[in-house]
Amino acid sequence: MNTREKAKEERRALIIGAAVTCFIRKGIHQTGIRDIARQANVSLGNLYNHFSGKDALIAEIALLDGLRLEQFAKDLDVSEDPNIAIHKFVDAYLEYVSSAENAVLTIDIIAESMRNHAIAEQFDVNRQRLVDVLSATIERGKSQGVMRSKIHIVETVEQLLDAIEGLGLRSGLTGRKPSKKARKTLQDMIFRMLSLSPE
Amino acid sequence: MNTREKAKEERRALIIGAAVTCFIRKGIHQTGIRDIARQANVSLGNLYNHFSGKDALIAEIALLDGLRLEQFAKDLDVSEDPNIAIHKFVDAYLEYVSSAENAVLTIDIIAESMRNHAIAEQFDVNRQRLVDVLSATIERGKSQGVMRSKIHIVETVEQLLDAIEGLGLRSGLTGRKPSKKARKTLQDMIFRMLSLSPE
DNA sequence: TATTGATGAACGAACGATTGTTCATTATAT
DNA sequence: ATATAATGAACAATCGTTCGTTCATCAATA
């Protein structure tokens, strides 16, 4: 790659990083293009050499943000025992969604997606991917006879994700990590929903 | 009450209604004071005779929005069998949070509360009220011997609310009512979390 | 009851600040 | 020399808010 091209890519990444910083600190709508340019040590006009406008910048960040979910999906694919796989996923995903930066940014992106079809679609794609791999894991558990057979898989998975994300967002917004009791209750709920034996 | 005072109150309500309409339609940040004034058939200047500014208007709406939760809390207080009471609450609350208008407005208010302490506090107060009455109901169920004794009450209640609100918001944002399967799965989860008998 | 002065609701032009975006210009790397 | 990265002044639009003013309604007086 050229020196020119490499520098350009670095600039792009620099600007995106600056935008994320600003969005987390002030919110998407409260952040102006000038704020981002200043944060990135880039001139106002030059920013438009790298991004067609504010909307494109927001879309790019929403994309990257969603892309991080892909790792969770991948980690689930190759896992061993379905019950353990789900258990590990819950812990890891909760840890992720309960970080303050993620919570603040996620809420803003959801709010943004309400009036921005492109972002809403992106958001749906990423979530659907999670739902799919979790569903497949439960399906595996069912066929292996280690999970309840009468589960509405998709609805259960979505409910599970709602519970994790709800706990995560509330924790992230208050700045406290999820309590041991809350994590225990969450795992307990999953156990009761999926497991064969009641105790 | 005076003719003057009555008219003034009607004007206030008119403006608030117009603001809600605009906020739902365009979002809080995309709505200008002029939009609200136009929607209410009120002059720009006159709006400031009734509200000190946009922030005050937002705060007022957040207050009213949260106040609607109070009815759910009251309905729970006087109810008979704890299991049935919870069951009814879930149905009613889900119906409420899954309305499109509520979903759109709620997300915006949450996003707003991230950077507005007053609104965040208001939000917490309303939610805590729900958590309290639900906790009391479960406590009642435990002492009556119709619910599991080893429940982390607060964490379970919050997880329950997360599941309801998550399902509600997703339904509201996509414009579809929660499916029968989803509602069934939700009630099933609650049954498994609270009930004595595993089946 | 009729007249007066006080009160505040209603109005929209105007203000200064800020918004996202464009563009002519300069600097720099190939 | 040529292409393009980088700059910041400038633009039109919009923002929330303030302002002086008009006018309907009220209480007090005659």
Side-chain angles (χ1 to χ4, degrees), chain A residues 121-149:
Chain A
E121 218 163 302
Q122 183 64 53
F123 204 81
D124 279 353
V125 167
N126 294 128
R127 198 172 205 277
Q128 192 57 49
R129 173 86 169 107
L130 268 192
V131 171
D132 286 343
V133 295
L134 281 168
S135 296
T137 304
I138 293 180
E139 197 76 68
R140 206 150 53 83
K142 276 171 70 168
S143 68
Q144 290 179 17
V146 296
M147 285 186 184
R148 280 174 56 223
S149 57

Side-chain angles (χ1 to χ4, degrees), chain A residues 22-30 103-105 107-108 110-115 124 127 148 150 152 155-156 158-159 162-163 165-168 170 173-174 179 181-190 192-195 198-199, chain B residues 22-30 103-105 107-108 110-115 124 127 148 150 152 155-156 158-159 162-163 165-168 170 173-174 179 181-190 192-195 198-199:
Chain A
C22 290
F23 287 172
I24 289 174
R25 190 181 298 154
K26 298 181 54 177
I28 291 181
H29 287 290
Q30 288 78 3
V104 169
L105 195 54
I107 292 288
D108 252 14
I110 292 177
E112 183 69 21
S113 76
M114 291 189 310
R115 266 110 201 166
D124 279 353
R127 198 172 205 277
R148 280 174 56 223
K150 284 194 280 186
H152 292 145
E155 289 75 15
T156 301
E158 274 174 342
Q159 185 178 290
D162 285 339
E165 289 160 357
L167 174 58
R170 275 188 296 106
L173 295 185
T174 59
S179 71
K181 271 190 188 176
R183 294 204 310 275
K184 177 90 174 50
T185 305
L186 188 61
Q187 293 284 3
D188 184 50
M189 180 270 259
I190 293 155
R192 295 184 114 84
M193 289 299 283
L194 302 181
S195 174
E199 275 300 343
Chain B
C22 290
F23 287 170
I24 289 174
R25 191 180 299 155
K26 297 181 56 179
I28 290 181
H29 286 289
Q30 289 78 3
V104 169
L105 195 54
I107 292 288
D108 253 13
I110 292 177
E112 183 68 20
S113 77
M114 291 190 308
R115 246 82 56 174
D124 279 352
R127 197 171 205 277
R148 278 172 58 223
K150 284 194 280 185
H152 293 146
E155 289 75 16
T156 301
E158 275 175 341
Q159 185 178 290
D162 285 339
E165 289 160 358
L167 174 56
R170 273 187 298 107
L173 295 185
T174 59
S179 72
K181 272 191 190 177
R183 295 203 311 274
K184 176 90 172 52
T185 305
L186 188 60
Q187 293 285 4
D188 184 49
M189 180 268 262
I190 294 154
R192 297 182 113 82
M193 289 299 283
L194 302 181
S195 174
E199 275 301 341

Side-chain angles (χ1 to χ4, degrees), chain A residues 72 76 79-80 82-94 187:
Chain A
F72 292 101
L76 257 166
S79 56
E80 61 294 35
N83 277 308
I84 296 179
I86 298 275
H87 186 95
K88 283 183 182 171
F89 165 80
V90 172
D91 268 351
Y93 190 52
L94 177 61
Q187 293 284 3

Side-chain angles (χ1 to χ4, degrees), chain A residues 13-80:
Chain A
L14 189 70
I15 292 171
I16 289 177
V20 169
T21 300
C22 290
F23 287 172
I24 289 174
R25 190 181 298 154
K26 298 181 54 177
I28 291 181
H29 287 290
Q30 288 78 3
T31 295
I33 296 286
R34 286 165 184 79
D35 297 320
I36 300 172
R38 197 178 311 119
Q39 175 74 28
N41 279 318
V42 158
S43 73
L44 181 59
N46 191 23
L47 194 147
Y48 281 85
N49 290 331
H50 297 274
F51 296 93
S52 64
K54 192 183 182 183
D55 282 346
L57 204 40
I58 294 174
E60 181 96 8
I61 288 175
L63 179 80
L64 292 177
D65 189 69
L67 229 60
R68 308 216 289 181
L69 296 189
E70 185 58 26
Q71 193 55 49
F72 292 101
K74 277 184 185 154
D75 288 348
L76 257 166
D77 267 339
V78 295
S79 56
E80 61 294 35

Side-chain angles (χ1 to χ4, degrees), chain B residues 131-142:
Chain B
V131 171
D132 286 343
V133 296
L134 282 167
S135 296
T137 304
I138 292 179
E139 196 78 65
R140 208 152 50 85
K142 275 170 69 169

Side-chain angles (χ1 to χ4, degrees), chain B residues 67-127:
Chain B
L67 230 60
R68 310 216 288 183
L69 296 188
E70 186 57 26
Q71 192 56 48
F72 293 100
K74 277 185 186 152
D75 289 348
L76 258 167
D77 268 340
V78 295
S79 57
E80 60 293 36
D81 176 70
N83 277 308
I84 296 180
I86 299 274
H87 186 96
K88 284 184 182 170
F89 165 80
V90 173
D91 268 352
Y93 189 53
L94 178 60
E95 169 76 21
Y96 168 68
V97 293
S98 64
S99 79
E101 313 89 40
N102 176 81
V104 169
L105 195 54
T106 297
I107 292 288
D108 253 13
I109 291 178
I110 292 177
E112 183 68 20
S113 77
M114 291 190 308
R115 246 82 56 174
N116 187 330
H117 280 165
I119 290 184
E121 218 163 304
Q122 183 64 51
F123 205 81
D124 279 352
V125 167
N126 296 128
R127 197 171 205 277

